[in-house]
Amino acid sequence: MASDRVQVLANGLRQSGLRLTHQRLAICRTLVTSNTHPTAVQLHTQLRAEFPTLSLATVYSTLNTLAALGLVYELGNAGDGQKHYDAITAPHANLICTQCHRISDFEDTALKSVSQHVARRSGYQIQGARIAYYGICPACARRRGR
Amino acid sequence: MASDRVQVLANGLRQSGLRLTHQRLAICRTLVTSNTHPTAVQLHTQLRAEFPTLSLATVYSTLNTLAALGLVYELGNAGDGQKHYDAITAPHANLICTQCHRISDFEDTALKSVSQHVARRSGYQIQGARIAYYGICPACARRRGR
DNA sequence: ATGCATGCAAACTCTTTGCAAACGC
DNA sequence: GCGTTTGCAAAGAGTTTGCATGCAT
């Protein structure tokens, strides 16, 4: 099922008339496989093993391309000053720990209905949403509690 | 009522043992008065009239201080690559136009109940939320429509 | 009077750009 | 083969830092 999502991204690129290079495919794969919402630098570091010559500029450019197509979301604001990316574009919330800066996902049907409500009341043509809750994750709460 | 909010920020600073300088007060006032969710640079430009010597570094430092105290929210991701700030910390959503990059506010009781729901189900100690909907604002839709 | 905050400029980080070589279509 | 994409290096944008002076308490 993770590979399905890679296909979605790959097809999206091709359908937009863009070339499916090894680099782009690898970036899509890593992004989908990872559950850590990586930054460009993290992706680059991880992919260096497979593509020793891969340029950081290519990673940025690919991420911008994917984000522009709406295939991937640009997060930012995890408190570390870098842009994080999320391969899931279905409506979901991110839980961001203000201690360890880890980002995890949270899905709930309530989020969808609120989104529709907002669209109706605001008059906006909603294209996407970034819902982030900041707080202390259970693990950090324990660590800090004692 | 706008001035109330300035007082909240000012008191917050003082209660944290920080000094209430003219610069900080002016920044708080401008932030609260403005309904445009300004960036550091915009605040600086605006305040130059009143404080010709005001340094951009001071604006950044004050914003960081306010954000660290949770008195103000750091937005980011309006598509223009700069950090925007929001003086309202009550649960509300931002509507961000992907055309004109304007940010407006949206308040609704539904948002609060979702937030509580998330806290319960995730185990996080929620400190705040950033809820942003991206889309095309009515004005831009009209402009683009024709 | 005592330090914290400011202002200035330089440093830093993250991201983007320009251009020649390489590769997908 | 053609034209987009890559990789490299250098530039750019936004933000932060260091240190001496000034000001709130």
Side-chain angles (χ1 to χ4, degrees):
Chain A
M1 45 237 222
S3 57
D4 288 0
R5 187 72 202 147
V6 176
Q7 278 309 310
V8 173
L9 298 191
N11 289 336
L13 286 171
R14 242 191 318 237
Q15 281 165 27
S16 305
L18 298 167
R19 292 183 182 166
L20 194 59
T21 60
H22 291 140
Q23 290 91 330
R24 282 180 176 163
L25 193 58
I27 289 168
C28 291
R29 187 159 20 83
T30 309
L31 202 48
V32 170
T33 308
S34 161
N35 52 357
T36 63
H37 305 273
T39 64
V41 175
Q42 288 168 354
L43 282 169
H44 182 237
T45 307
Q46 220 173 116
L47 287 166
R48 286 295 282 241
E50 194 177 344
F51 294 88
T53 72
L54 178 66
S55 165
L56 184 53
T58 300
V59 177
Y60 275 112
S61 134
T62 301
L63 289 172
N64 279 344
T65 304
L66 289 168
L69 293 173
L71 297 170
V72 140
Y73 277 166
E74 196 178 82
L75 305 192
N77 258 23
D80 55 2
Q82 292 172 247
K83 289 181 186 167
H84 292 250
Y85 290 86
D86 192 334
I88 308 172
T89 49
H92 71 288
N94 294 120
L95 289 162
I96 301 176
C97 179
T98 54
Q99 297 277 303
C100 63
H101 297 166
R102 225 189 300 273
I103 305 178
S104 47
D105 293 320
F106 180 88
E107 308 206 28
D108 198 292
T109 52
L111 298 171
K112 199 181 167 198
S113 58
V114 171
S115 157
Q116 288 168 347
H117 182 68
V118 171
R120 222 176 5 252
R121 275 204 35 199
S122 66
Y124 270 57
Q125 296 174 19
I126 303 286
Q127 299 169 327
R130 284 266 25 260
I131 303 174
Y133 288 95
Y134 293 86
I136 301 179
C137 71
C140 283
R142 253 195 307 284
R143 195 175 310 128
R144 211 169 70 147
R146 67 115 291 102
Chain B
M1 49 248 221
S3 57
D4 288 359
R5 187 73 202 145
V6 175
Q7 279 309 310
V8 173
L9 297 192
N11 288 335
L13 285 171
R14 242 194 314 238
Q15 281 164 26
S16 306
L18 298 167
R19 290 183 186 168
L20 194 58
T21 61
H22 290 140
Q23 291 91 329
R24 282 180 176 163
L25 193 58
I27 290 168
C28 293
R29 186 157 23 81
T30 308
L31 202 49
V32 169
T33 308
S34 160
N35 51 356
T36 62
H37 305 274
T39 64
V41 175
Q42 288 167 354
L43 282 169
H44 182 236
T45 307
Q46 221 174 115
L47 287 166
R48 285 294 282 241
E50 192 178 344
F51 293 90
T53 71
L54 178 66
S55 165
L56 183 52
T58 300
V59 178
Y60 276 111
S61 132
T62 301
L63 289 173
N64 280 341
T65 304
L66 289 168
L69 293 173
L71 296 170
V72 140
Y73 278 167
E74 196 178 84
L75 305 191
N77 259 25
D80 56 1
Q82 292 172 250
K83 288 180 186 167
H84 292 249
Y85 290 85
D86 190 334
I88 307 172
T89 49
H92 71 287
N94 295 118
L95 290 162
I96 302 176
C97 179
T98 55
Q99 296 277 303
C100 63
H101 298 166
R102 225 187 300 273
I103 305 177
S104 48
D105 292 320
F106 179 88
E107 307 206 28
D108 198 289
T109 52
L111 298 171
K112 199 180 167 200
S113 58
V114 171
S115 156
Q116 289 168 347
H117 182 68
V118 171
R120 229 183 351 260
R121 273 203 36 199
S122 66
Y124 269 58
Q125 296 175 18
I126 303 288
Q127 299 169 327
R130 285 263 29 256
I131 303 174
Y133 289 94
Y134 293 87
I136 301 179
C137 71
C140 284
R142 254 194 308 282
R143 194 175 311 129
R144 209 168 73 146
R146 67 115 294 103

